[in-house]
Amino acid sequence: MQKFLGARSYRLYELAELVGGIVDGDGQTLIRGVAGIREAEPGEITFIANPKYEEFLGVTRASAVITGRALTAPKPVIRIDNPYYAYLQVLNLFAADVAVRYPRGVHESAVVDPSANLGQNVAVGPLCHVGKNARVGDNTTLVGGVFVGEAVEIGSDCLVYPHVTIREGTVVGNRVILQPGVVLGADGFGYAKNGATHHKVPQIGRVVIEDEVELGANSCVDRATTGETRVKRGTKIDNLIQIAHNVTVGENCVIAAQAGISGSTEVGNHVVIGGQAGVGGHIVIGDRAMVGAQAGVTKDVRPATVVSGYPAREHDVAKRLFAHTAMLPGLFKRVKELERRLRELEEGGRHGPSATNDR
Amino acid sequence: MQKFLGARSYRLYELAELVGGIVDGDGQTLIRGVAGIREAEPGEITFIANPKYEEFLGVTRASAVITGRALTAPKPVIRIDNPYYAYLQVLNLFAADVAVRYPRGVHESAVVDPSANLGQNVAVGPLCHVGKNARVGDNTTLVGGVFVGEAVEIGSDCLVYPHVTIREGTVVGNRVILQPGVVLGADGFGYAKNGATHHKVPQIGRVVIEDEVELGANSCVDRATTGETRVKRGTKIDNLIQIAHNVTVGENCVIAAQAGISGSTEVGNHVVIGGQAGVGGHIVIGDRAMVGAQAGVTKDVRPATVVSGYPAREHDVAKRLFAHTAMLPGLFKRVKELERRLRELEEGGRHGPSATNDR
Amino acid sequence: MQKFLGARSYRLYELAELVGGIVDGDGQTLIRGVAGIREAEPGEITFIANPKYEEFLGVTRASAVITGRALTAPKPVIRIDNPYYAYLQVLNLFAADVAVRYPRGVHESAVVDPSANLGQNVAVGPLCHVGKNARVGDNTTLVGGVFVGEAVEIGSDCLVYPHVTIREGTVVGNRVILQPGVVLGADGFGYAKNGATHHKVPQIGRVVIEDEVELGANSCVDRATTGETRVKRGTKIDNLIQIAHNVTVGENCVIAAQAGISGSTEVGNHVVIGGQAGVGGHIVIGDRAMVGAQAGVTKDVRPATVVSGYPAREHDVAKRLFAHTAMLPGLFKRVKELERRLRELEEGGRHGPSATNDR
């Protein structure tokens, strides 16, 4: 699996046809696998999407390269506008050969409530639990050790990895992927203070995960106090991420690892949030906004704006502040020098012709 | 569960009596459910605790509103000093109707060591494990897929969600809630360096979680090297939080998601720690202190102090620094202008009457 | 377990021989346990490695102290160069008495594929799953509720705690410890955009965890897109940490809780990364570098360099910037004062002898 070799080989021209690219060089080159530019060996194809990696073009042992520009490469190349997407398509071709095939049906060690409704071709792996009145759609796979609570609805063609917990009433769409340890529908963090005591606010809302969403390992989406916490279609969420109660995350967003979004915040569509960023509660982030890694968002972000830093500001402003902060030692010296020179002028004046102006 | 309707209805005056509030308007109004101010539909009651939401008072479709102030609302209102706590009480009324009822007794797929001691009315759900000499108190529920290690003690009326791990020797009080994926009693992070090698320091202490504590999904409390790591009565901890070995967290604290507390730190009572904040090791945080979101605490915090930023400072100071930092570009301009004007003065002086003062 | 008392006692001189230290005082002192300096009771031994704790030397109830310096202690002492390492050795002596003994063999509730290969003296605890063609080395313990995927290889003498997920094809070395909830081999976070849609890049690489590595509770190491994500020999990783796809972490590193390392980054040997620090993608961190807590690393770090802050800078520079930032309010006042005095000088000049220089 490390040094991956597919079950069959392809000619370079076949791969070019698949991705819709143009071959420069020998289209008959035989490709048996895929690898990163530094690790690739003869027989493998690699790609360059980030110019940073062009320096490896001369030394890579790959037999062919997918690239977005007309580079003068010492080896056969597939040229195409979106080389990363083309690489993905080639990877998919080979990945099919190595994908784990989870046996369909219910493993004898799984515990499925008789009232649960399983679709066609479902796989319920070892030591899974499917609760009362839960529904699992066609072709969905619960790999093993998955806990599905009461009245949960899971769509079709989903892939749910071990130790995922889907609490009662959660709704999961189609073609959703939940990496190991994901928690959907844990109670939101809500307490009402009465005297010194924090009383738990019951969390009777639910979580809705729409189609084509992916959630990374050990990420959490809390159920709503009332109503819904919702992650919309096509959004991709990395590992160890916190989505609090009553949050809405729009369509086709990308949220990097260890970011957190506080309660009742609304994230628009096509938003990108960097790793370890935090977004406060009751905030609106507009469509196509971007939040930098480790940023702390304390107020609304307008659509298509890039923000960074803490407290988060428009990125150009934040960058200028970082630059000015870096120049602070010099500024202190300049002010000290100004004080010295001004004192000199004043003292000069005091003893000179303009001394009469001295208070 | 999403559009929640309770099994029975209440008159508004009945709810007002329950919470100890005053009805403005028609006390006979029929209430069948509870919702947020923007999502509420006719027949539901909502609340306003945060003035930010008063703007929705005119447009909400709710049939009644719980509010803390004499607002001129176009609909029936329950007025009360602590509207959020009143809302909680009403929510509790309806929540009882929708709460999952976990079957009592030991599920046939659970593995309970014969030496374990289970109280009255305990529920040990599917695929749980209860280890040697462990004790589980009356009415406690292990929902499913819970791992309880050797000699663990769990009190009564606890609710432990799936994929929680409670390692050997951990003590859990009464009325404790552990959301999915919580880990209690993992080894503290301690190594002694000898040459280039890090040698593991055995972690033979334990974790104690006192009564009425709640821990959020995938949060971790490490066991002590020797002695205890302790979270005291009534403290509420959100998701994905790290509590390191030998930490003490006081009573009635609130710690928001993704915060982390390093080894041997002592957090007082009634302390509030914001999301993604970090507290260094061997630090003392006084009672009623507050730590801002994303703050980095590097030294002791006095009682009743609010700190923020990195390194964390008293909030007023930190705010002033943030404000001054934001004005840095202007300051650079002012200094440049000062330099220009001073040069001009000096040059003027050089050629003018005070030129004799020129060195 | 809290107030730990070993099954047998030792004379102080025996412990001194064990660790290679020198006794000051009564070597016949009987030691029955180990504790922190503030919690220790008579009959227990404690240690001082951090001078901060020397103040407790006069009041500790411990019967003896391990210390690195010739302190004038009012009680027997073992003097030794590396007191923390000596303490570890004494702790190990007593820890052996309290360690949980996991029964060897396969628990009847575990699910082990017939094609799996289990070594000598392996323990597969309750509700574990070992997949097709997986291999588990001699003396390794899967405590309970562990999921081992297809074709996983685990070495000998490993300890794998509950709710750990080891996905297909992962390789784990010898003497590795995986705390509860660790996830190895979840898909890396890779998508190629085509139009508005994020298409999943198949992640067909693997994870390799070398010998003597320890990973803390709920930490995640993602599998590579192609090739490997690798954590090298002797590296210790705390709780809730993210290691993204295609990262390499070198030998004998220490990474504190909630830190995150983005894709394709290379961390050298003997690197220390503080809690909640974040490292961007495609970055190289040199051997023996140190990254401060909460730092945000945005570019390469040279070997043996200490960096901190966001964006991370050499620690001396970052400290100076923090110090200068703290003095900003004073600087604003000084500039305002300069402006006042300069205006005065200018106005003085305007009405005085040098008025001819006025523009």
Side-chain angles (χ1 to χ4, degrees):
Chain A
M1 186 161 292
Q2 167 198 21
K3 189 40 68 183
F4 163 74
L5 290 179
R8 56 159 296 199
S9 309
Y10 301 85
R11 297 287 170 185
L12 191 60
Y13 79 87
E14 294 177 292
L15 299 179
E17 274 171 21
L18 170 78
V19 304
I22 292 164
V23 173
D24 278 354
D26 182 6
Q28 293 299 325
T29 308
L30 202 65
I31 303 297
R32 292 169 302 129
V34 190
I37 192 158
R38 281 176 294 185
E39 300 82 26
E41 301 198 352
E44 293 179 322
I45 190 166
T46 189
F47 79 111
I48 295 179
N50 184 339
K52 189 171 178 176
Y53 287 90
E54 285 176 11
E55 59 171 298
F56 297 105
L57 194 57
V59 296
T60 181
R61 303 176 66 214
S63 292
V65 182
I66 303 173
T67 171
R69 308 204 278 163
L71 297 166
T72 46
K75 52 191 57 183
V77 157
I78 296 179
R79 270 193 297 120
I80 190 160
D81 279 350
N82 190 340
Y84 193 43
Y85 183 61
Y87 179 68
L88 173 161
Q89 290 170 285
V90 172
L91 260 178
N92 267 328
L93 200 68
F94 288 102
D97 294 338
V98 289
V100 176
R101 316 241 180 264
Y102 298 101
R104 316 321 293 174
V106 176
H107 191 274
E108 58 178 8
S109 65
V111 177
V112 178
D113 193 273
S115 66
N117 182 333
L118 305 184
Q120 301 288 311
N121 200 37
V122 159
V124 179
L127 305 161
C128 287
H129 170 259
V130 180
K132 231 191 313 187
N133 299 316
R135 219 175 62 198
V136 181
D138 298 347
N139 307 313
T140 283
T141 299
L142 311 180
V143 169
V146 173
F147 185 94
V148 176
E150 258 189 58
V152 166
E153 296 180 24
I154 303 178
S156 53
D157 301 294
C158 294
L159 185 48
V160 183
Y161 282 104
H163 303 129
V164 166
T165 301
I166 308 179
R167 271 189 50 191
E168 66 274 14
T170 297
V171 176
V172 174
N174 305 308
R175 296 172 298 284
V176 168
I177 301 173
L178 303 176
Q179 297 292 338
V182 162
V183 177
L184 302 182
D187 286 353
F189 193 64
Y191 304 89
K193 218 172 168 180
N194 196 32
T197 310
H198 301 283
H199 298 270
K200 181 176 178 66
V201 177
Q203 305 288 312
I204 65 175
R206 65 173 183 178
V207 166
V208 179
I209 304 294
E210 295 189 356
D211 297 350
E212 278 112 32
V213 167
E214 178 161 4
L215 281 150
N218 287 341
S219 282
C220 304
V221 183
D222 279 358
R223 68 195 312 113
T225 309
T226 62
E228 296 178 350
T229 307
R230 182 176 284 261
V231 179
K232 291 189 181 165
R233 176 188 293 263
T235 282
K236 312 300 186 186
I237 290 176
D238 203 350
N239 297 348
L240 293 163
I241 280 168
Q242 154 73 350
I243 310 276
H245 52 176
N246 293 83
V247 165
T248 302
V249 179
E251 298 182 1
N252 295 314
C253 295
V254 171
I255 306 182
Q258 297 177 317
I261 301 178
S262 305
S264 300
T265 281
E266 294 174 42
V267 176
N269 300 322
H270 310 288
V271 170
V272 176
I273 298 181
Q276 296 186 335
V279 182
H282 301 277
I283 281 175
V284 176
I285 298 190
D287 292 350
R288 296 180 196 280
M290 297 181 73
V291 175
Q294 291 193 331
V297 179
T298 57
K299 55 183 191 191
D300 291 358
V301 176
R302 279 172 299 132
T305 319
V306 182
V307 299
S308 65
Y310 177 83
R313 296 185 174 91
E314 293 205 14
H315 188 52
D316 288 346
V317 176
K319 261 198 310 195
R320 204 179 322 136
L321 295 185
F322 281 134
H324 279 104
T325 302
M327 294 186 299
L328 268 182
L331 189 67
F332 273 85
K333 280 197 199 118
R334 284 162 66 186
V335 168
K336 198 171 176 189
E337 174 67 9
L338 276 171
E339 289 169 335
R340 190 192 60 74
R341 283 161 55 191
L342 187 60
R343 198 165 46 243
E344 210 168 83
L345 261 192
E346 288 169 339
E347 286 170 358
R350 191 173 294 132
H351 305 297
S354 53
T356 49
N357 290 300
D358 199 44
R359 288 180 299 183
Chain B
M1 185 159 294
Q2 168 197 22
K3 188 40 64 181
F4 163 76
L5 290 179
R8 56 158 298 199
S9 309
Y10 301 85
R11 298 286 171 187
L12 191 59
Y13 78 87
E14 294 177 293
L15 299 180
E17 274 173 20
L18 170 77
V19 303
I22 293 162
V23 174
D24 279 356
D26 182 5
Q28 294 298 322
T29 307
L30 202 66
I31 302 298
R32 294 170 300 129
V34 191
I37 193 159
R38 283 175 293 184
E39 301 81 27
E41 301 197 353
E44 293 179 323
I45 190 166
T46 188
F47 79 111
I48 296 180
N50 183 341
K52 188 170 177 175
Y53 288 90
E54 286 177 11
E55 57 171 301
F56 296 105
L57 195 57
V59 295
T60 182
R61 302 176 65 214
S63 292
V65 181
I66 303 172
T67 170
R69 307 204 278 163
L71 297 167
T72 48
K75 52 191 57 184
V77 156
I78 295 178
R79 268 194 298 120
I80 189 158
D81 281 350
N82 189 342
Y84 193 44
Y85 183 61
Y87 180 68
L88 172 161
Q89 291 171 284
V90 173
L91 259 180
N92 267 329
L93 201 66
F94 287 102
D97 294 339
V98 288
V100 176
R101 316 245 180 262
Y102 298 101
R104 317 319 294 173
V106 176
H107 192 275
E108 57 178 9
S109 65
V111 178
V112 178
D113 192 274
S115 65
N117 183 334
L118 305 184
Q120 301 288 311
N121 200 36
V122 159
V124 179
L127 305 162
C128 287
H129 171 259
V130 180
K132 230 188 318 185
N133 299 316
R135 218 175 63 199
V136 181
D138 298 347
N139 307 312
T140 282
T141 299
L142 311 181
V143 169
V146 173
F147 185 95
V148 176
E150 257 189 58
V152 165
E153 296 181 23
I154 304 178
S156 54
D157 300 295
C158 294
L159 184 48
V160 183
Y161 282 104
H163 303 129
V164 167
T165 302
I166 309 180
R167 270 187 51 190
E168 67 273 15
T170 297
V171 177
V172 174
N174 304 307
R175 299 173 295 286
V176 168
I177 302 174
L178 303 177
Q179 296 292 338
V182 162
V183 177
L184 302 182
D187 286 352
F189 193 64
Y191 303 89
K193 217 169 169 182
N194 196 31
T197 310
H198 301 282
H199 297 270
K200 181 174 178 68
V201 177
Q203 305 289 311
I204 65 176
R206 65 175 184 176
V207 166
V208 179
I209 305 293
E210 294 188 357
D211 296 350
E212 280 112 32
V213 167
E214 178 162 4
L215 281 151
N218 287 342
S219 282
C220 305
V221 183
D222 280 356
R223 70 194 312 113
T225 308
T226 62
E228 295 179 352
T229 307
R230 182 176 286 259
V231 179
K232 291 189 181 165
R233 176 187 292 263
T235 282
K236 312 299 186 185
I237 290 177
D238 202 349
N239 298 347
L240 292 163
I241 281 170
Q242 156 72 348
I243 310 275
H245 52 177
N246 293 82
V247 165
T248 303
V249 180
E251 297 182 3
N252 296 313
C253 295
V254 171
I255 307 183
Q258 297 176 316
I261 302 178
S262 306
S264 299
T265 281
E266 293 174 40
V267 176
N269 300 322
H270 310 288
V271 169
V272 175
I273 298 182
Q276 298 185 335
V279 182
H282 301 277
I283 280 174
V284 176
I285 297 189
D287 292 349
R288 296 179 197 280
M290 298 180 72
V291 176
Q294 292 193 330
V297 178
T298 56
K299 54 183 193 195
D300 290 359
V301 176
R302 278 172 300 130
T305 319
V306 182
V307 299
S308 65
Y310 177 84
R313 296 185 174 89
E314 293 206 13
H315 188 52
D316 288 345
V317 176
K319 261 199 308 197
R320 204 180 323 137
L321 294 187
F322 281 134
H324 279 103
T325 302
M327 295 187 298
L328 267 185
L331 188 68
F332 273 85
K333 280 196 199 120
R334 285 162 67 187
V335 169
K336 198 173 177 185
E337 175 66 10
L338 276 171
E339 288 169 334
R340 191 192 60 73
R341 284 162 55 192
L342 187 60
R343 199 166 43 242
E344 210 169 82
L345 261 191
E346 289 170 337
E347 286 171 358
R350 192 171 295 133
H351 305 297
S354 54
T356 50
N357 290 301
D358 199 45
R359 287 182 298 182
Chain C
M1 189 161 294
Q2 169 197 21
K3 189 41 64 184
F4 164 75
L5 290 179
R8 57 160 293 198
S9 310
Y10 302 84
R11 299 288 171 185
L12 192 60
Y13 78 86
E14 294 177 292
L15 299 180
E17 275 172 21
L18 169 77
V19 304
I22 294 162
V23 175
D24 278 355
D26 183 3
Q28 293 298 324
T29 308
L30 202 64
I31 302 298
R32 293 169 301 130
V34 190
I37 192 159
R38 283 175 293 184
E39 300 81 25
E41 301 196 353
E44 293 178 324
I45 189 166
T46 189
F47 79 111
I48 295 180
N50 184 340
K52 189 171 177 175
Y53 288 90
E54 284 177 11
E55 58 171 297
F56 296 105
L57 194 57
V59 295
T60 182
R61 304 176 64 215
S63 293
V65 182
I66 303 172
T67 171
R69 308 205 279 163
L71 297 166
T72 47
K75 52 191 57 183
V77 157
I78 296 179
R79 268 192 299 120
I80 189 160
D81 280 349
N82 189 341
Y84 194 44
Y85 183 62
Y87 180 67
L88 174 160
Q89 290 171 284
V90 173
L91 260 179
N92 267 329
L93 200 67
F94 288 101
D97 293 338
V98 288
V100 177
R101 315 243 180 261
Y102 298 101
R104 316 321 292 173
V106 177
H107 191 276
E108 56 178 8
S109 66
V111 177
V112 178
D113 193 274
S115 64
N117 183 334
L118 306 183
Q120 300 288 310
N121 199 37
V122 159
V124 179
L127 304 161
C128 287
H129 171 259
V130 180
K132 229 188 320 185
N133 299 317
R135 219 175 62 199
V136 180
D138 297 348
N139 306 312
T140 282
T141 300
L142 311 180
V143 169
V146 173
F147 185 94
V148 176
E150 259 188 57
V152 165
E153 296 181 24
I154 303 178
S156 53
D157 300 294
C158 294
L159 184 49
V160 183
Y161 281 104
H163 302 129
V164 167
T165 301
I166 309 179
R167 271 187 51 190
E168 66 274 14
T170 297
V171 176
V172 174
N174 304 309
R175 298 172 297 286
V176 168
I177 301 175
L178 303 176
Q179 296 291 338
V182 162
V183 177
L184 302 182
D187 286 352
F189 193 63
Y191 304 89
K193 218 172 170 181
N194 195 33
T197 309
H198 301 283
H199 297 270
K200 182 175 177 68
V201 178
Q203 305 287 313
I204 63 176
R206 64 175 185 178
V207 166
V208 179
I209 305 293
E210 295 188 356
D211 296 351
E212 279 113 32
V213 167
E214 178 161 5
L215 280 149
N218 287 341
S219 283
C220 305
V221 183
D222 280 357
R223 69 195 311 113
T225 309
T226 61
E228 296 180 350
T229 307
R230 182 176 284 261
V231 179
K232 292 190 180 164
R233 175 187 292 262
T235 282
K236 311 299 185 184
I237 291 177
D238 202 349
N239 297 349
L240 292 163
I241 280 170
Q242 157 71 352
I243 310 275
H245 51 177
N246 293 84
V247 165
T248 303
V249 179
E251 296 183 3
N252 295 313
C253 295
V254 172
I255 306 182
Q258 296 177 317
I261 302 178
S262 306
S264 301
T265 282
E266 294 173 42
V267 177
N269 299 323
H270 310 288
V271 169
V272 176
I273 299 181
Q276 297 185 335
V279 182
H282 301 277
I283 281 174
V284 176
I285 298 190
D287 291 351
R288 296 178 196 281
M290 298 181 72
V291 175
Q294 291 193 330
V297 179
T298 57
K299 55 184 193 193
D300 291 358
V301 176
R302 277 172 299 131
T305 319
V306 182
V307 299
S308 65
Y310 177 84
R313 294 185 176 90
E314 292 205 13
H315 187 52
D316 288 345
V317 176
K319 261 199 309 196
R320 205 179 322 136
L321 295 186
F322 281 134
H324 279 104
T325 302
M327 295 186 298
L328 267 184
L331 188 67
F332 273 85
K333 279 196 201 119
R334 284 162 67 187
V335 168
K336 199 173 174 186
E337 175 66 8
L338 275 173
E339 288 169 334
R340 191 192 61 72
R341 283 161 55 192
L342 187 59
R343 198 164 47 242
E344 210 168 84
L345 260 193
E346 288 170 338
E347 286 169 359
R350 192 173 293 133
H351 307 297
S354 53
T356 50
N357 291 299
D358 200 42
R359 286 182 302 181

